[in-house]
Amino acid sequence: MAHLDHIGLAVHNVEEVARLFHRLLGFGVYKTERVERQGVVAHFLSAGDAQLELLEALGPDSPVARYLKARGEGVHHLAFEVKGIHDHMQRIRDLGFTPLSEMPVPGADGKLIFFLHPKETHGILIEFCERVSASHERPASSLGLSDA
């Protein structure tokens, strides 16, 4: 059974957004990870049973930069964790959906991921993910915030 893993938020200024969540909710970024393949730096905030993933574009041609230019800041995607991501991808294909990649690809946080195009999901970019390994982390202190 899939469950909500994280909500990806496209942001222009990650430091400002991280400060906002810290002020509003008392939690800050606990991990930052550069994901070249996706063209982003992902900043993770724990929000109970799910995470918030602040997405910072690595360059003007990255998917997140294009999203920000077209739609502005806000919810970029919803990610659902599944067991057996390859089998799940085939199940999704059998249901008539077309994943954006041929196979799951490495994503942030030690996960394999794949997306479904928003044209097939009522305008919502859906990610499926499965944790497969530990990820390399940069301390959250790089944003000057902590939970303490």
Side-chain angles (χ1 to χ4, degrees):
M1 178 110 204
H3 74 275
L4 181 64
D5 182 73
H6 66 272
I7 300 170
L9 305 172
V11 301
H12 287 292
N13 187 317
V14 86
E15 288 83 7
E16 285 181 10
V17 176
R19 276 194 298 274
L20 171 71
F21 280 108
H22 192 261
R23 286 180 57 215
L24 289 174
L25 304 170
F27 55 75
V29 172
Y30 69 86
K31 176 172 53 173
T32 296
E33 183 177 344
R34 186 179 181 101
V35 187
E36 295 286 341
R37 174 183 219 105
Q38 301 295 322
V40 299
V41 178
H43 305 268
F44 295 92
L45 296 91
S46 181
D49 292 337
Q51 314 312 307
L52 297 179
E53 180 184 39
L54 305 181
L55 300 168
E56 174 183 18
L58 278 176
D61 295 328
S62 77
V64 169
R66 290 191 305 268
Y67 179 93
L68 286 165
K69 185 176 181 182
R71 295 175 189 86
E73 292 183 304
V75 174
H76 179 262
H77 67 271
L78 299 178
F80 296 91
E81 185 174 30
V82 297
K83 300 283 188 206
I85 195 162
H86 292 89
D87 291 339
H88 190 75
M89 186 179 228
Q90 185 57 52
R91 180 182 160 279
I92 292 298
R93 282 191 178 109
D94 293 346
L95 290 171
F97 294 94
T98 306
L100 293 178
S101 59
E102 288 298 313
M103 299 293 293
V105 297
D109 205 23
K111 295 174 183 163
L112 283 177
I113 65 170
F114 72 90
F115 289 92
L116 297 179
H117 198 285
K119 289 180 182 176
E120 294 185 344
T121 56
H122 297 273
I124 304 164
L125 181 62
I126 302 290
E127 174 185 340
F128 292 100
C129 61
E130 181 178 34
R131 184 174 309 279
V132 292
S133 68
S135 63
H136 300 288
E137 300 178 11
R138 183 174 82 185
S141 61
S142 64
L143 292 179
L145 301 172
S146 69
D147 289 333

